[in-house]
Amino acid sequence: MTTIAVVSAGLGDPSSSHLLATRLAEAVTRELPARVRTVHLRDHARDIADNLVTGFPSAALREVVADVTGADAVIFVTPTFNASYSGLFKSFVDVLDPESLVGTPVLIAATGGSERHSLVLDHALRPLFAYLRAVVVPTGVYAASADWGAPRGLSERVDRAAGELVALLTGAPARKPVERFTPFEELLNR
């Protein structure tokens, strides 16, 4: 069975990053039966910091790293801080062996307070995973606070990104998104 690791760097409990990670995993498993292992980095923050300082992972961190690097695909979700990924998120990635994600399909996602931080996907996350030589799906998902109440936008992006990840895993072509025509009157009323 396909295994999907979901790495959520949300600091709160609950957090919008955890919520987005759950939505992405559910969208993937609607299309492809998979075993999902979710990692909440906040639960491993001390182990990550200790590993960075000492160079030795705890047994729990070793297990988490093995789950992530041994998965068939990984969904990474981080909150946006100062126009980039969180320090906890980057610290976890720094714990990973630089060769451990080579060729692994990866879906990137981020959350933040406003739409203006959405470039975190292309200016921070995509280059990070390109350096690690992971295969990042074309659609990254950014969720601003306003997106959680939007009727369609976020769900459409989640479904499109999940479909692209499934296509990478199965070798099937990705579904073409249904083009949605927005009437001019609706645009004027926004």
Side-chain angles (χ1 to χ4, degrees), residues 66-108:
D67 286 344
V68 171
T69 60
D72 296 307
V74 186
I75 299 170
F76 285 99
V77 184
T78 181
T80 305
F81 294 139
N82 297 320
S84 190
Y85 35 70
S86 73
L88 179 59
F89 179 85
K90 180 60 166 73
S91 294
F92 177 72
V93 172
D94 287 344
V95 165
L96 302 177
D97 182 289
E99 303 289 318
S100 64
L101 295 176
V102 173
T104 302
V106 168
L107 191 162
I108 55 173

Side-chain angles (χ1 to χ4, degrees), residues 172-184:
R175 289 187 321 263
K176 298 229 186 262
V178 176
E179 294 298 322
R180 185 173 66 86
F181 174 75
T182 304
F184 189 68

Side-chain angles (χ1 to χ4, degrees), residues 29 53 118-120 160:
T29 57
V53 173
S118 64
L119 289 176
V120 67
R160 183 173 47 236

Side-chain angles (χ1 to χ4, degrees), residues 25-47:
E26 288 171 351
V28 169
T29 57
R30 275 195 303 271
E31 294 188 42
L32 178 70
R35 185 174 40 243
V36 176
R37 166 73 162 105
T38 301
V39 177
H40 297 286
L41 294 182
R42 89 187 279 277
D43 297 339
H44 303 283
R46 285 204 171 117
D47 288 337

